[in-house]
Amino acid sequence: MQTATDIIFDNWHPVCAPPSPGAGILRTRLLDVPIEVAAGPRVRRADNGEDPPVLERFGLVWTTLGRPRQDLFDVPEYREPDRRNLSAGPIGVAASAPRAIENFLDLAHFPFVHTDILGAEPHTEVKDYEVRTSDDGSEIIATGCEFFQPLAALTAAGGQKVDYIYRVPHPFCAVLYKSCFVDPSRMDVIAIFIQSMRQERIRAHLVMSMIDEVHSDTEMRRFQQMIFGQDKPILENQRPRRLPLDPRAETPIRADLSGIAYRRWLSANRVTYGVIPAQH
Amino acid sequence: MNHMSPPPPLSPVWHPIAASTDLAVRHVFHGKLLGRELAVWRADDGHVNVWDNRCLHRGVRLSIGMNDGAELKCQYHGWRYASRSAGCTYIPAHPANSPSRQVTNRVFPTIERCGLIWAALEPDQPFIGLPQADWFAAREAIVHAPAALVLNTLAAEAVPRSLAWLSPYAMRLARRAAPDETLIILAQPADGATTIIRALRAGAPADANAWLRRINRVFVTLRDQIEAASPAGEAAAEPDFTPVAAELAEPAPAATAGLTVTVARKWQVAADVFALKLKPLAGTLPAFQPGAHIDVTLPSGQVRQYSLTGGPGENEFWTIGVRRMPQSRGGSRQIAEQVREGDLLSVSAPRHNFPLRRDALRSVLIAGGIGLTPLLAMAKALRHGGHPFELHVFSRDAAHLPFADTLRGFGDNVRLHLGSDPVQTRETVAHLLGPHGFAQHVYVCGAPGLIDAVTRTADHLGWPDEAVHYEHFSNDREINASSSFTVALARSALDVEIPAGCSMLAAIRAAGVSLPSSCERGACGTCVVKVLEGVPDHQDVYLNAREKAAGRSVVTCVSRATSQRLVLDL
């Protein structure tokens, strides 16, 4: 089980979109604790009646069960006036948060899980890329990732090589930047913010910040939901459901460099929620 | 069966885990035994595989994977595992590399009897089955209760004298409601709280459907009675997990040299070529990938390399082709003249220094004579995967064309080039290669002249080095071993002096550092080591010109150093 010292309890976590006045009370769960969210937004713990701190960012309500040591990370692109900021979640998954984050960082599954959209056989090769931890150790950054994609986004015309950058600024949140087909000098941003309801039960909040003047909100949401809907059965069929941090528990390859760094980073930060810690 | 006869005991370690009919064509069945999930599947050759139900890479259940008849392909990243050995044969994210032999899934012993698939979680436990009879099986039922409770509840309904326990998980009985009918009851402990119960009777009943319905009613009544007595909340307790033997908790050991095989068949496949079918003396042959070769130790003690010609699913036997060369060092001649069917040979595990990419839009395979053998395995893998390919075979004449029968099976994918002289060969190669296009690869194996013609022509036509793959049988270059220098082994923190006349490989081994090798003539690439510092003096035919110029790796059996010191990643 989790320990009280787990940094996860001091992190901010997404719980839902801000409820509109008169929308009633949303009952959900965060890190095993039942919570209620009302307009305001206001969050109340149903177990002890306390009102934990709240903030609103990226079109979501965030709260914490502990004492946040720092502000929630930033995604500066989200504030650029010409971007379309949209949420395409939440989607419930019977999996742990770290399994979902690792899947979000993974390129090699594109041809097999997102067939003919984000990848297609036989173009399966993952070229070497760079992974580093930011100077203050607060996030993991993967750069120089590229992959051949038949239909990278709604704005993409046909198959092409697509460049990716990944950020993991929070144990249960990741942000990706990928080639933008409307403006080659900029990148589209897609983020996954995981609400861990229980260790093996999550809601994935998907947020996009795109440069696209053509497609409707519904079309853009459907595209993201289709992609995540293809990941969901994979995530629900991973065993163990919690991410094993022992390096010998599974078989990493060069293509998993970002996943390897993520597992090490979770170990180094002593995260215990949603993982199987390595035995020392 | 007579109620009074002593009951035949059943092994308590072996359990039924599926009905034969659960293994539909190209299906993967999700089984469970003693808390352990199993992926159960039948290959097209009939072999039943019972494996741990998880891909070694990221833990995705293999029961949601694809059974292509010869290999199981994981849904997540397309990793492929061979039938029988469960060795990983391909990792699509790195198409130019061969998976390590360590990537082998856990295989459980299995046997198909009485219309059921049986498995044991422990190795080397003899299977003791039911006596031979025309067993007829009822449909299984799942009961959310421990096996002992299920069996005891059923035993309470038995005609007293009819009841006989065959194992803690099996009994023979006649029910009071049908005293004339003897049943075998088998309880599969899926986990500590779930039992899968099966009934067998000797011989088909007169009205099979009526009997199946009746047994089904018996099981449904039993289940309702048991589950009503123990609420679901309690039954869903943590599984009573029986730990597996300690040796199984470790990854499967890497196959090492010293595999003994029997020559199951030897036959002539061309005027000067024999094929040998090699069968393991015990157990299963390790998985191999197209382009692999093995070392064969000959009766004289000499070691020679031969490519495996089998395709996906051909893993019960290995087939090699051996050409009897008049100028041979005696190795191939010994096989041709001395080795007979039934003889034992010592062989190595497969070595993978000529890997096949499966991400090409066009694969051109060019074979000269006996050089066909690795390309035959590649052609079979490409055909199995539905990848486009051309196989060009150069041969003196039709009589010297090896494996002609197999080649006919490839239809239009094969082009034969008989009796062409060196000039014609170069023209033909230039014509068939054409200019290089996106995701095109060429593979060549044969005499040095053919390899030279293909690599030079490809270079002229603008094919990049990484698209040109070749394998030499041998290194015909004269080795100059006159230099002397020092090798520093970075990881072992060891300096080794290499005197004139002694190879790096031999000196490194003499210093106590192990290093795999195979041909020891600079042809196969098994003993390649990374160079961290210094300038190698390349004398092999394995590395290509670009790799030699880069100087970042060295073939330790023949190459040397032009610098006084060579630092190796060993």
Side-chain angles (χ1 to χ4, degrees), chain B residues 398-427:
Chain B
H400 287 84
L401 181 69
F403 295 102
D405 288 349
T406 313
L407 288 176
R408 267 190 287 280
F410 287 110
D412 291 343
N413 290 99
V414 171
R415 291 315 131 69
L416 299 181
H417 307 277
L418 301 180
S420 76
D421 64 35
V423 177
Q424 287 171 321
T425 299
R426 262 196 296 280
E427 282 170 6

Side-chain angles (χ1 to χ4, degrees), chain A residues 62-254:
Chain A
W62 299 70
T63 190
T64 176
L65 301 180
R67 288 196 198 88
R69 295 171 209 183
Q70 58 205 19
D71 186 22
L72 182 58
F73 59 86
D74 191 18
V75 181
E77 293 76 9
Y78 196 83
R79 296 192 301 271
E80 292 173 5
D82 61 339
R83 283 185 183 260
R84 302 262 305 278
N85 292 331
L86 279 175
S87 167
I91 298 172
V93 190
S96 63
R99 286 280 194 197
I101 295 296
E102 199 175 77
N103 173 68
F104 190 81
L105 302 177
D106 186 273
L107 293 155
H109 74 291
F110 288 164
F112 304 98
V113 178
H114 309 297
T115 311
D116 295 339
I117 305 168
L118 301 186
E121 288 184 84
H123 311 295
T124 55
E125 183 166 25
V126 177
K127 297 261 171 58
D128 290 350
Y129 56 88
E130 303 275 324
V131 179
R132 63 188 170 87
T133 309
S134 64
D135 293 341
D136 62 356
S138 67
E139 68 178 80
I140 298 170
I141 301 153
T143 52
C145 314
E146 61 168 55
F147 208 79
F148 179 88
Q149 300 197 331
L151 176 65
L154 287 174
T155 48
Q160 47 209 297
K161 278 228 165 92
V162 180
D163 296 315
Y164 277 85
I165 295 170
Y166 292 92
R167 286 176 60 198
V168 190
H170 177 298
F172 295 170
C173 296
V175 184
L176 72 78
Y177 298 74
K178 66 186 286 189
S179 307
C180 168
F181 301 100
V182 179
D183 180 352
S185 70
R186 301 169 75 186
M187 294 184 105
D188 281 332
V189 181
I190 302 168
I192 188 167
F193 304 136
I194 307 277
Q195 169 192 356
S196 228
M197 299 201 291
R198 297 182 187 278
Q199 299 222 38
E200 300 181 355
R201 181 82 217 179
I202 60 168
R203 297 208 303 164
H205 300 269
L206 302 168
V207 171
M208 296 171 261
S209 186
M210 316 287 273
I211 297 158
D212 181 342
E213 292 176 354
V214 179
H215 297 93
S216 69
D217 288 2
T218 304
E219 286 170 320
M220 291 168 68
R221 286 197 174 103
R222 275 203 187 132
F223 184 80
Q224 284 314 317
Q225 286 169 350
M226 170 180 69
I227 297 298
F228 196 75
Q230 293 171 332
D231 288 315
K232 182 175 149 87
I234 297 290
L235 290 171
E236 295 186 340
N237 277 292
Q238 275 180 293
R239 292 295 178 278
R241 288 184 198 270
R242 295 181 208 184
L243 190 70
L245 299 186
D246 185 329
R248 290 163 310 171
E250 292 179 346
T251 314
I253 55 171
R254 288 203 313 284

Side-chain angles (χ1 to χ4, degrees), chain B residues 445-461:
Chain B
C445 184
L450 180 69
I451 295 177
D452 195 55
V454 171
T455 51
R456 277 169 196 266
T457 309
D459 189 42
H460 276 297
L461 292 169

